Amino acid sequence: MSGHYAYAWEFHVAPELQAEFEQHYGPDGTWARLFRRSPGYIETLLLRDRSTAGRYVTVDRWRDEGAYLAFRSAFLREYEQLDRQCERLTTSEQSLGAFDECGG
């Protein structure tokens, strides 16, 4: 049996926008509320780097890749709209990849 599916993103955020960024990207933020509309969503982790100011990593966990792909298909318009709205909050963003959880 395979583990859950997860993907991670790295973001750099200007100091004056960090609180707003955390409101949108945190575990109870705007993105997580959109993801919760899909039954295959598990959770979002928001990590703030202790040594690099303004650097964050998000990890979004899904039951499996199929659940994530079904969400993207069903909520494409809402996803793209939210992505455009949040674009101004970051100075850069980069995918860190998709992962299969091990163990458990």
Side-chain angles (χ1 to χ4, degrees):
M1 181 173 153
S2 64
H4 296 297
Y5 172 80
Y7 56 85
W9 282 83
E10 175 187 56
F11 299 92
H12 291 268
V13 182
E16 67 274 11
L17 297 174
Q18 288 181 6
E20 187 176 356
F21 175 85
E22 291 178 14
Q23 289 175 355
H24 286 287
Y25 287 83
D28 294 314
T30 313
W31 281 105
R33 287 194 301 273
L34 175 61
F35 297 157
R36 279 190 201 111
R37 295 172 65 188
S38 175
Y41 171 72
I42 298 172
E43 70 177 340
T44 293
L45 304 174
L46 177 61
L47 309 172
R48 182 176 46 239
D49 192 317
R50 293 174 133 199
S51 61
T52 304
R55 180 174 180 251
Y56 291 85
V57 172
T58 60
V59 179
D60 297 309
R61 299 179 64 231
W62 296 81
R63 183 183 65 235
D64 54 40
E65 186 176 12
Y68 168 70
L69 294 174
F71 159 79
R72 285 295 304 262
S73 177
F75 294 96
L76 179 62
R77 187 176 317 149
E78 294 95 330
Y79 184 100
E80 290 177 343
Q81 181 181 9
L82 185 54
D83 191 45
R84 282 190 302 274
Q85 290 173 350
C86 291
E87 193 173 69
R88 67 174 185 78
L89 297 174
T90 63
T91 57
S92 69
E93 64 181 75
Q94 174 181 326
S95 171
L96 298 178
F99 301 87
D100 291 319
E101 293 182 18
C102 301

